[in-house]
Amino acid sequence: MDRKNHPRGTRNSRRERNNHIFSKKIAFVSILSILLIFICGGVYATYAMQHKQDKLNEVEDERQYKQKEVTLLEKIRKSQKLEDLESSEVEKTDGNVQTLIYEPVATDVVPQFQAIKTELTTLIETSKKNSFKEVPIKIVGHMKINKISDQVVGYLPAIDTYTWEQEKGDWSEKTELGKNTVFVNQKTKQPLTLQDIFSNEANMLAVQQVVQQQLLDENSDGNTIIDDVLNLPNLSLDKTAFTYYPDKIKLGLPDNSTGKNEITLSYKDIAGYVNPEFVDFSSIKDALPEPLDPNKKYISLTFDDGPNPETTPRLLDILKEKGVKATFFMLGQNVVKHEALVKRVAEEGHEVASHSYSHPQLTGVDAQRVKDEVQNTDKAIYHAIGKIPTDFRPPYGAVNKDVAAIIRKPIIQWSVDSQDWQSHNAQAIIKRIDDTAYNDTIVLMHDIHPETVDSVSTVIDHLRSDGYEILPSKELLGRKAKPLHMYYGSKDERPVQ
């Protein structure tokens, strides 16, 4: 009986085990389902929270952007209202790019306005083309005002490009300026002219001397172009093309054979000939010597007709011993024979100037002879020291308007004549200067006479004991003597008639 019942018991046990296993599976699946529900719920909740935070961040970013945009536009418009030039706003929006253009209300106050506007339009279009249009961009086009002095204002096109930087949460800024500035005379409301800058033709001729020297200095061998340089046609106030800068000027040159059609000069190199009201004063303030002290007495010693190999070296020794600088008005025919002596004069700090080539009375010869006398001396001195003489003393002091126009140099006359050419006596020379010297005068002497050289040491001692400070003529005249004018002292300047 036990054997017969055993199979049934076995079947029951299996059923129980299967039921138990099934129950465990059900429990496991239930737990797993619950876990999955919790996980999915957690993920969903996290996603929902993150999504909500992203939405909040987007809202905050948008709020911050709007706030910064409003602030930027207020800043731009306030800045434009503060400009001296009243302007009106033209706004355009193309996708993410907003353009604000500011134009003068009265366009006639800005000379060459259309040219500035055209360049401004080009700048704006180039900025649009080169900008990344997926982010907000604001382009502000306007005229930048550059005040050089009370008399000069410059107008140039400018654009400010503002790009929204999402990571920084703010605008980045870049400014671009146009290439062309219109500089305006505030009195006339017209573009600057050379007349404004240099005032007169005499100053323009003085500038031409600087141009000529610079052309020679920039050439590897100035002697190859010296004739072309000396024959450079005159620069003129009304026909010379130029480009103005606050601290320099670019001048177009007349047709010439030097290979140069323009040249740039720093105002500090022509400081004595520019109108300081029309340049950046900082560019010239240290270029001119200090004005002469009104409480002191000044005098200049000048020597004509040399150099002479017998007398000039002895004179140079005396001047060196006394610590005096003088001006030597040399004859070209003597320069070519004694170049080493000319070089010594220059190296020892004296001024080398021109006294013509062969000492004719220039008012009694034809124009070509005057030109030859001047240019041949210029070439001789340049060959000796590498510099063209800037000052000229006409033989016998004879000059008129036509001759001065050919010479194209300041005419340095004299106000005290030592009469050494007449007396040939050292004591007479000393007495003559003692009796006739006065403040702010130029003394005429000749370094070709032994008696003159004999007198110089005592002349210097007497002048100093009388309170004089001895200067070369260029220093006495403040380094601003100009062609077509003649000078007897720093306060005695006369147009050549």
Side-chain angles (χ1 to χ4, degrees), residues 13-14 43 45 89 190 275 282 306 339 367 411-412 464 494:
S13 296
R14 287 177 180 170
V43 170
E89 178 186 291
Q190 295 299 315
N275 186 335
S282 65
E339 285 189 356
I411 304 300
I412 312 303
R464 282 178 166 168
R494 310 174 195 177

Side-chain angles (χ1 to χ4, degrees), residues 215-216 219-229 257-258 379 382-383:
L215 287 171
L216 293 168
N219 193 279
S220 58
D221 182 5
N223 286 298
T224 62
I225 62 168
I226 183 68
D227 287 313
D228 296 322
V229 168
S257 303
T258 67
K379 286 191 286 186
Y382 175 77
H383 192 265

Side-chain angles (χ1 to χ4, degrees), residues 377-426:
T377 306
D378 285 349
K379 286 191 286 186
I381 291 176
Y382 175 77
H383 192 265
I385 64 173
K387 299 292 181 183
I388 301 173
T390 57
D391 293 340
F392 189 91
R393 174 170 286 165
Y396 315 106
V399 67
N400 58 32
K401 191 172 183 179
D402 292 336
V403 169
I406 298 171
I407 293 172
R408 302 197 302 187
K409 301 179 190 293
I411 304 300
I412 312 303
Q413 300 284 18
W414 60 89
S415 40
V416 174
D417 186 352
S418 70
Q419 296 185 349
D420 58 346
W421 53 275
Q422 186 176 38
S423 69
H424 294 283
N425 181 286

Side-chain angles (χ1 to χ4, degrees), residues 303-319 328 334 338 341 344-345 446-454 456:
F303 299 91
D304 289 10
D305 294 353
N308 181 294
E310 302 298 326
T311 54
T312 303
R314 189 159 62 91
L315 172 60
L316 290 172
D317 291 341
I318 295 169
L319 294 174
F328 289 77
N334 291 336
H338 309 294
L341 188 50
R344 179 186 168 188
V345 171
H446 298 77
D447 58 319
I448 60 173
H449 303 314
E451 299 84 2
T452 300
V453 178
D454 293 339
V456 168

